[in-house]
Every structure is written in structure tokens, then in C-alpha cells.
Amino acid sequence: MFAGLSGCLNPGMYRSNTSPHGLRGRVAAAFLAVATTATLGLTGCAGGDDQPLGTPDAPLPTEVPPGTTLVVADQQERLQNALRLSGELDKLPFKIEFANFVGGPAILEAFRAGAADVGQVGDVPPIHALAAGQDVPIVGSYQTNPQALKLAVAPGLSITRLTELKGRKIAYAEGTAQQAAVLKALSKAGLKTGDVQLIRLQLAEFLDAVRTGQVDVAPLIEPNVTRLLRTPGTSLIPDSETSGIYSGLAYVYARRAVVQDPAKAAATRALVGAFVRAWHWTNTHSAEWADAYYVRNQKVSADDARRIVESLGTYTFPHLDQRLIARQQSTIDAIDAAGELPKKLTAADGFDLRFDAAVTEAVTASGAAFAEAVS
């Protein structure tokens, strides 16, 4: 059931932005250590430093000692670009090393190996972390337009209603926000997973699979939505049908050993503040962000870049509180109802609410807004 979660590390899922003698070397060593562990499985791959150190309600340190380093897991180089372009990267009171991954499951595997400290992901990877017995609490969050995720339709097909998904081949990736979107879409249509063909793929394969007709439908986000629509005959299921299947949430989460280590916990607190300020900077510098990230880094046209930024809307930042926990629980329940979780999960177990102080401080000082955590 948990492809990519039951085994150990797959080095092909990892790409580093540092030299082979630095972060890459440490990751390779961690991969080797995990691969040679005698017992493999959901809990057997966990490193010893994933065990809680101290108590979850211990005061959160604020002073970052000299020489502190955080290894931050990124996807499509988004977070590092936002931090760098906003100027927040240069202000961090610690050394930061970025590792670029494809999808939340790969980041979780790096957490297991102790090869990454903190990561930015969608709302589903933390759920699968809980299911896998990993203690990686959420420490920050942002909210974008819930309509940013689209259900893309292969060339030559006409699918305009969710009920028409019955019997269709749908791209599916466990442990991702796209997984939850598919399951919520089926539930909204009154369908079960057995009513469709779930084609298990890596996220990076979704775009080519749907535009070549290997699958009928795939959940896509930008810039892949824009890339898809360049293929003649492709289409999107209307937003009026898909409303509510995607949360628009992204989380920052970290290994428990990191947030309970005084130096790294203080560094993570500083990173959460920078995370808020950097993404709010993209709100107020949308043209600069579109050009620097989407045009220069992701290689889309200037017109497409503007369209992408507009589709995501304004970044807002929910409090780490009971409302957000309840929202996360609703996503857990949707996945569980489809039989895709091995046990009952409690969303509150996946949060470290001490970091809300950093969120509140950064939002207030920067002029950003708190998101409404609506279900």
C-alpha cells in the first residue's frame, strides 16, 4: 500500500545542490547506513536520532549558536529561490544547505536517514510520515489558491464531470497532495477507488503520462498545467467540479530530533520566520518572482509565468492551532476512508505548536495575512 515507504532509500530520488564532498557525501553515507540496517520496514528504517529528545512542550530556544547548520529539503528549488530573491537567505543566522527532491516520499526517506533536517512539502506527506511511524512535526505553513490544482484530461477525451471518472485511468502517487486530491474527487463523485484504475506513477511522470494518453486524467499544478495545455486536444475538468479537492496548503516540517536540539531548534525557528517573509515577498514582487523563478529557472515563457503566479494567488499563513489541526484531520480521514492508511491517525501528533510564535511574529511584522483554515 505504501510504495516508497516500506523500503529504504532510493538514491535516484535525490539531487543535491552542493559539492560531492559536502552534503552529497553525507547523504550517500546515510543511504549506505540505512541500506545495511538489518531490519527494514516502516519503523525499521528510522534512524536512532528520530527518537524524541526531551519533551514536546519544552521551551523553544531562540539563540542560534555559531556553526549551526540546517539541511533543508526543497522541491523544484522553490524555497531556496524564494529565500534568495527576497534577501532572507543572507539574513539567516546559521548555515543552510539545500537538497532538491522530487516529491514528499523522497524527503521522508531522507529524514529517515538523517540526511535532511527540515523540508517544505504539501499537506499529505506529513500524514504518510505519521503512518510510517516517523516523528516529523509540522512547524510552519502557507496557503495558496485551492483551485491551483487541476484535473488534466488526455488529448481526445471529453471529461467535464467528476462522475465521468468512472472506469478511467488516473495518475496516482501515494504520499502526495495529489493523492488526496484524487481520493476527494472520487468521494465527491460518489465513486470508490475500485470504480477507476489508479495508475501508480512518480509525480515527475504525471505530465508526460496524461499528454501522451498513458492515463486519462492526472492531477497537475503549475507550471505543468501550462505545459499540458500546449498539447493540442488536452483539457481540464472545470473548477466548478473540482472545488474542494485540494487544500492549497504547504507545510514546513522537521525531524523531532532537530526541533528538540537547542541549536537546530533555534535555527528552525529562524527559518520559519524567513519562510513567511520570503513567500510574502513573492506577494509584493510578483513580476520579479515570475521572471526570476518561472522564466529563468523553470523555463516557461513570460506570459505563462504571469499566468502561473496569478493562478496561485496570494500566499497567506495559517496559525499553527486547533483549526489547522482539524483541517489536517479532515484530509487524514479522507485518505483513511479510501482504505489507504494502515491505521487510525491523529493529526495533532504531527504538529509542534511552539512554532506558532515564529509564524505570528513574522506575519505581523511583514504585513502578511493569516489564512483562514476552512475545511
Side-chain angles (χ1 to χ4, degrees), residues 275-335:
F275 165 90
V276 170
R277 292 187 296 271
W279 287 115
H280 181 56
W281 177 90
T282 70
N283 290 335
T284 58
H285 297 76
S286 58
E288 186 175 346
W289 171 244
D291 178 66
Y293 179 67
Y294 287 107
V295 175
R296 300 184 189 182
N297 186 283
Q298 294 294 300
K299 310 302 181 185
V300 305
S301 70
D303 286 343
D304 286 344
R306 286 191 292 272
R307 178 177 176 272
I308 290 167
V309 170
E310 289 172 0
S311 75
L312 293 173
T314 299
Y315 290 82
T316 53
F317 307 91
H319 279 292
L320 299 181
D321 60 12
Q322 294 303 317
R323 289 193 304 167
L324 187 60
I325 290 173
R327 187 174 182 185
Q328 187 73 346
Q329 187 67 53
S330 71
T331 300
I332 290 174
D333 294 344
I335 299 173

Side-chain angles (χ1 to χ4, degrees), residues 176-199:
T176 68
Q178 286 82 348
Q179 176 194 22
V182 168
L183 295 177
K184 288 180 179 180
L186 294 178
S187 177
K188 189 175 181 180
L191 300 174
K192 299 183 182 300
T193 54
D195 295 324
V196 300
Q197 299 178 60
L198 298 178
I199 308 300

Side-chain angles (χ1 to χ4, degrees), residues 47-346:
D49 62 353
D50 281 322
Q51 299 303 314
L53 305 176
T55 58
D57 58 353
L60 188 62
T62 59
E63 297 296 323
V64 182
T68 302
T69 299
L70 283 184
V71 180
V72 176
D74 202 0
Q75 298 188 63
Q76 296 182 309
E77 301 179 346
R78 290 185 76 243
L79 180 56
Q80 60 187 291
N81 272 277
L83 290 170
R84 184 173 294 111
L85 291 164
S86 65
E88 292 295 329
L89 185 62
D90 293 335
K91 300 175 185 176
L92 291 173
F94 58 89
K95 182 180 178 183
I96 189 168
E97 296 179 341
F98 292 102
N100 203 37
F101 293 83
V102 179
I107 293 176
L108 179 59
E109 291 186 341
F111 280 158
R112 283 180 176 146
D117 295 323
V118 182
Q120 178 180 313
V121 291
D123 60 344
V124 174
I127 295 171
H128 283 259
L130 282 176
Q134 298 298 297
D135 195 2
V136 282
I138 293 164
V139 297
S141 180
Y142 72 54
Q143 168 82 55
T144 56
N145 177 14
Q147 295 289 355
L149 182 142
K150 311 293 184 182
L151 291 186
V153 180
L157 296 179
S158 176
I159 302 176
T160 59
R161 299 180 63 83
L162 291 181
T163 53
E164 295 170 358
L165 292 175
K166 186 173 183 178
R168 298 294 187 176
K169 293 185 288 185
I170 304 175
Y172 191 71
E174 293 170 333
T176 68
Q178 286 82 348
Q179 176 194 22
V182 168
L183 295 177
K184 288 180 179 180
L186 294 178
S187 177
K188 189 175 181 180
L191 300 174
K192 299 183 182 300
T193 54
D195 295 324
V196 300
Q197 299 178 60
L198 298 178
I199 308 300
R200 286 164 169 79
L201 300 169
Q202 298 295 322
L203 285 181
E205 300 172 321
F206 277 24
L207 175 59
D208 283 341
V210 69
R211 67 184 174 188
T212 60
Q214 297 174 56
V215 298
D216 300 322
V217 175
L220 299 180
I221 58 175
E222 296 290 8
N224 283 338
V225 173
T226 294
R227 291 167 177 160
L228 169 90
L229 294 176
R230 295 194 183 113
T231 301
T234 57
S235 61
L236 304 174
I237 296 178
D239 289 350
S240 57
E241 282 287 300
T242 59
S243 176
I245 71 168
Y246 177 60
S247 71
L249 283 170
Y251 289 131
V252 178
Y253 68 159
R255 292 186 293 119
R256 179 69 70 182
V258 168
V259 300
Q260 292 187 335
D261 172 85
K264 290 199 171 188
T268 302
R269 187 186 192 282
L271 178 63
V272 169
F275 165 90
V276 170
R277 292 187 296 271
W279 287 115
H280 181 56
W281 177 90
T282 70
N283 290 335
T284 58
H285 297 76
S286 58
E288 186 175 346
W289 171 244
D291 178 66
Y293 179 67
Y294 287 107
V295 175
R296 300 184 189 182
N297 186 283
Q298 294 294 300
K299 310 302 181 185
V300 305
S301 70
D303 286 343
D304 286 344
R306 286 191 292 272
R307 178 177 176 272
I308 290 167
V309 170
E310 289 172 0
S311 75
L312 293 173
T314 299
Y315 290 82
T316 53
F317 307 91
H319 279 292
L320 299 181
D321 60 12
Q322 294 303 317
R323 289 193 304 167
L324 187 60
I325 290 173
R327 187 174 182 185
Q328 187 73 346
Q329 187 67 53
S330 71
T331 300
I332 290 174
D333 294 344
I335 299 173
D336 185 52
E340 294 291 293
L341 292 176
K343 59 184 179 181
K344 295 291 184 181
L345 301 176
T346 301

